[in-house]
């Protein structure tokens, strides 16, 4: 019978007649999949060569499996000599294990050490598959399981807790379930640590043309702050006048942006290694998070306040830090912020994905203003340069660009040239000249950080 999903043949090493080390990979693969049978003493083509000392081969194979496979697989492995075609071979019957993922001890719980059976071969798996196997076999959620990484620091979390007058130490970490009963960090600790491996990716488009992108890393709390600041910088204001009163309308309600961002962080499935995605387009912003709806929750249920958090411990930390008020209110808040605008946010779900789309409240109005401007230019009523500068200043609340940049520096403390360009609505050269002026007068300090340049407010 040829090798297949449940049958594997192994011939002895030709040099010394020992059991080949590759048999361990096959045992791991059968434990992690649907079980199978390994025959030591049969060539790959199915011809029987047998073993000269069945008892010795049986003992050696048993010792190899016990010492080289983790967790302990003994309960799921049976090894016996059997007679086939006039010779004796060693038959190893492997049942599906209950503590998956099993792995080669020397390689560890990594993609290089975990195998599954695919057809007639054993193959490595990805980190996301390993995480999924852990969840399925342990019955625990991702955030409750022991973290692979134990060398963690928590500077951002400590800073955020101190701001709110909350003590932070081992006792608090146990209360928050960042430490397990064995005293080791859980995956919740990993998410809140400075070493968090998950990221958020943001991209800006002009129509279908890609214009800019950013990747946000670090503790989920740091990502929350950095991404929200990035969204605010790209949340433009449309200034119009009603008689003598100036009216400022932002592209997106800030509370809706905040709730959509929090939702994408708190409810995503961290068993998957991919990053959350934010697409900023002319007419909308899309928040795409991995995981889809939590098991047992229907699409209709999310609109009536039903909440089943995939990461309840993470949600509890955010609640304690007063970043969220109560469970199940985020989508309702987003809808409320758009009430009476004539536009509605969209919520889409597919297997493994959830997307929130916020429409740009000013998109249609801007297009109308552009059309009106084009008509004026076509009729020869183009404003002189001085008038255009006055209109720009009027849109900035009457402040000259340099004064607005000073105010921005006071509020932000630290920012990039791109941040200044977006905030002022000017080009690179103009922004650089203004930054240079503030550096010369001592208001700002320019710092090089690797390939990046930042500007920070001079202290004192």
């Amino acid at each position: 019978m040829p090798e297949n999903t449940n049958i594997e043949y192994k011939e002895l090493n030709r040099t010394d007649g020992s059991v080949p080390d590759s048999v361990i990979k096959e045992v791991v693969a059968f434990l992690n999949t649907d079980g199978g049978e390994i025959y030591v003493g049969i060539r790959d083509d199915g011809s029987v060569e047998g073993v000269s000392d069945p008892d010795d081969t049986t003992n050696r194979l048993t010792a190899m499996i016990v010492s080289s496979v983790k967790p302990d697989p003994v309960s799921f492995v049976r090894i016996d000599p059997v007679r086939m075609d006039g010779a004796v071979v060693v038959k190893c019957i492997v049942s599906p294990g209950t503590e998956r993922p099993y792995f080669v001890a020397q390689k560890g719980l990594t993609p290089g050490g975990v195998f599954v059976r695919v057809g007639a071969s054993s193959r490595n798996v990805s980190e996301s598959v390993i995480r999924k196997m852990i969840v399925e076999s342990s019955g625990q959620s991702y955030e409750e399981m022991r973290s692979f990484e134990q060398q963690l620091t928590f500077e951002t979390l400590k800073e955020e807790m101190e701001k709110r007058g909350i003590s932070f130490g081992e006792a608090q970490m146990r209360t928050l379930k960042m430490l397990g009963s064995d005293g080791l960090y859980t995956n919740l600790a990993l998410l809140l640590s400075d070493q968090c491996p998950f990221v958020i990716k943001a991209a800006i488009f002009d129509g279908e043309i890609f214009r800019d992108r950013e990747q946000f890393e670090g503790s989920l709390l740091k990502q929350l702050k950095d991404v929200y600041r990035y969204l605010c910088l790209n949340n433009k204001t449309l200034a119009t006048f009603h008689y003598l009163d100036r009216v400022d309308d932002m592209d997106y309600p800030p509370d809706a942006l905040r709730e959509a961002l929090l939702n994408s962080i708190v409810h995503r499935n961290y068993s998957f290694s991919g990053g959350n995605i934010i697409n900023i387009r002319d007419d909308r912003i899309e928040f795409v998070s991995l995981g889809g709806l939590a098991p047992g929750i229907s699409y209709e249920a999310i609109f009536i306040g039903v909440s089943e958090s995939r990461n309840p411990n993470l949600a509890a930390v955010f609640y304690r830090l007063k970043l969220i008020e109560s469970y199940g209110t985020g989508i309702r808040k987003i809808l409320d912020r758009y009430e009476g605008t004539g536009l509605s946010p969209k919520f889409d779900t597919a297997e493994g994905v959830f997307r929130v789309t916020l429409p740009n409240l000013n998109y249609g109005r801007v297009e109308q203003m552009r059309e009106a401007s084009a008509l004026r230019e076509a009729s020869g009523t183009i404003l002189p340069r001085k008038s255009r500068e006055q209109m720009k200043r009027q849109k900035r609340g009457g402040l000259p660009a340099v004064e607005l940049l000073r105010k921005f520096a006071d509020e932000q403390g630290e920012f990039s040239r791109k941040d200044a360009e977006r905030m002022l609505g000017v080009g690179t050269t103009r922004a650089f000249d203004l930054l240079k002026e503030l550096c010369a007068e001592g208001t700002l300090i320019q710092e090089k950080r690797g390939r990046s340049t930042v500007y920070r407010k001079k202290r004192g």
Side-chain angles (χ1 to χ4, degrees):
M1 192 174 180
E3 292 180 319
N4 56 42
T5 305
N6 303 107
I7 293 179
E8 177 72 27
Y9 299 140
K10 290 292 178 185
E11 58 182 294
L12 298 174
N13 289 322
R14 296 186 180 279
T15 54
D16 57 5
S18 62
V19 179
D21 292 338
S22 60
V23 74
I24 298 303
K25 177 179 74 173
E26 316 301 344
V27 172
V28 168
F30 283 141
L31 286 164
N32 285 332
T33 317
D34 298 319
E37 299 174 355
I38 302 170
Y39 292 87
V40 178
I42 299 183
R43 301 182 183 91
D44 289 341
D45 62 6
S47 60
V48 178
E49 65 173 350
V51 297
S52 58
D53 190 338
D55 290 338
D56 181 67
T57 302
T58 299
N59 292 335
R60 287 177 181 272
L61 179 57
T62 301
M64 287 175 66
I65 293 173
V66 170
S67 62
S68 301
V69 179
K70 300 296 179 184
D72 186 357
V74 171
S75 302
F76 307 98
V77 178
R78 178 181 173 182
I79 305 173
D80 291 304
V82 296
R83 183 169 292 279
M84 298 179 68
D85 292 349
V88 178
V89 301
V90 174
K91 180 180 180 181
C92 177
I93 302 174
V94 182
S95 300
T98 58
E99 296 184 76
R100 292 178 289 182
Y102 291 85
F103 56 94
V104 180
Q106 189 176 7
K107 299 284 187 178
L109 192 55
T110 65
V114 180
F115 298 86
V116 295
R117 193 72 174 176
V118 181
S121 63
S122 298
R123 299 182 183 178
N124 297 105
V125 299
S126 65
E127 287 187 4
S128 61
V129 173
I130 293 175
R131 293 190 186 101
K132 185 176 180 181
M133 292 169 71
I134 292 173
V135 172
E136 290 174 348
S137 63
S138 68
Q140 294 179 307
S141 65
Y142 171 82
E143 62 177 359
E144 294 175 319
M145 293 183 295
R146 180 190 303 170
S147 169
F148 293 164
E149 177 62 55
Q150 291 291 317
Q151 302 299 316
L152 305 177
T153 59
F154 303 94
E155 293 304 318
T156 300
L157 175 59
K158 183 179 179 181
E159 179 183 335
E160 292 300 316
M161 295 188 78
E162 287 178 349
K163 280 182 183 178
R164 296 160 176 81
I166 304 172
S167 301
F168 181 70
E170 183 175 335
Q172 287 74 29
M173 293 176 78
R174 289 188 181 278
T175 300
L176 296 174
K177 299 184 180 180
M178 294 171 62
L179 285 173
S181 57
D182 54 7
L184 298 175
Y185 290 127
T186 64
N187 281 330
L188 174 62
L190 178 67
L191 298 177
L192 296 170
S193 74
D194 305 315
Q195 291 74 33
C196 175
F198 302 95
V199 301
I200 297 176
K201 299 177 181 180
I204 301 176
F205 296 85
D206 280 336
E208 295 302 318
I209 300 173
F210 172 79
R211 180 161 64 86
D212 188 27
R213 68 178 176 186
E214 294 283 347
Q215 178 167 298
F216 301 90
E217 303 173 343
S219 166
L220 292 187
L221 293 168
K222 181 177 185 298
Q223 292 183 41
L224 174 64
K225 283 185 11 179
D226 291 348
V227 174
Y228 187 66
R229 177 169 167 265
Y230 183 80
L231 292 174
C232 289
L233 287 171
N234 286 282
N235 190 10
K236 299 174 184 176
T237 300
L238 178 65
T240 57
F241 290 86
H242 183 68
Y243 296 103
L244 295 177
D245 298 325
R246 172 189 164 112
V247 180
D248 290 335
D249 294 308
M250 304 187 81
D251 288 350
Y252 302 95
D255 285 355
L257 288 176
R258 181 178 182 276
E259 293 299 329
L261 176 59
L262 280 165
N263 181 82
S264 70
I265 292 175
V266 173
H267 294 293
R268 74 161 283 183
N269 189 342
Y270 291 97
S271 296
F272 299 104
S273 57
N276 277 2
I277 297 172
I278 300 174
N279 294 321
I280 303 175
R281 301 184 182 275
D282 295 337
D283 61 339
R284 66 192 186 277
I285 291 182
E286 301 166 335
F287 296 81
V288 182
S289 58
L290 298 175
L293 295 177
I297 298 297
S298 69
Y299 178 78
E300 293 75 18
I302 65 176
F303 296 102
I304 59 175
V306 176
S307 177
E308 178 64 32
S309 177
R310 180 177 279 106
N311 307 296
N313 297 336
L314 178 63
V317 172
F318 276 51
Y319 178 78
R320 188 163 185 175
L321 292 173
K322 298 182 179 179
L323 294 171
I324 56 178
E325 295 177 3
S326 58
Y327 305 143
T329 61
I331 287 180
R332 185 71 262 162
K333 285 183 180 178
I334 293 173
L335 292 170
D336 288 345
R337 297 305 180 270
Y338 276 85
E339 189 172 352
T341 65
L343 297 172
S344 297
K346 288 180 60 181
F347 305 90
D348 301 299
T349 183
E351 186 175 355
V353 178
F354 189 79
R355 181 176 65 186
V356 177
T357 303
L358 303 181
N360 184 336
L361 295 173
N362 292 326
Y363 179 68
R365 299 171 64 194
V366 170
E367 290 300 305
Q368 292 173 0
M369 292 175 69
R370 284 176 180 169
E371 290 176 5
S373 176
L375 289 172
R376 285 196 301 271
E377 291 183 8
S379 63
T381 56
I382 301 175
L383 291 172
R385 181 177 181 84
K386 184 176 180 182
S387 297
R388 292 200 299 270
E389 290 298 323
Q390 288 174 343
M391 288 183 67
K392 283 185 179 180
R393 180 175 296 187
Q394 196 174 40
K395 287 184 178 181
R396 294 193 292 258
L399 288 175
V402 69
E403 290 299 326
L404 194 65
L405 190 56
R406 285 196 185 96
K407 184 179 179 182
F408 183 67
D410 290 335
E411 295 172 350
Q412 299 297 325
E414 179 180 300
F415 56 92
S416 67
R417 190 201 71 244
K418 281 188 177 181
D419 294 340
E421 290 176 21
R422 296 189 193 100
M423 187 274 297
L424 293 170
V426 299
T428 301
T429 302
R430 177 60 174 156
F432 181 78
D433 290 342
L434 292 168
L435 290 167
K436 185 177 178 181
E437 179 181 341
L438 293 186
C439 287
E441 72 180 27
T443 300
L444 296 179
I445 296 176
Q446 183 185 46
E447 290 185 356
K448 279 282 187 182
R449 295 185 184 172
R451 296 182 179 180
S452 303
T453 301
V454 298
Y455 298 85
R456 65 175 178 84
K457 183 73 185 300
K458 185 175 181 180
R459 297 183 179 86

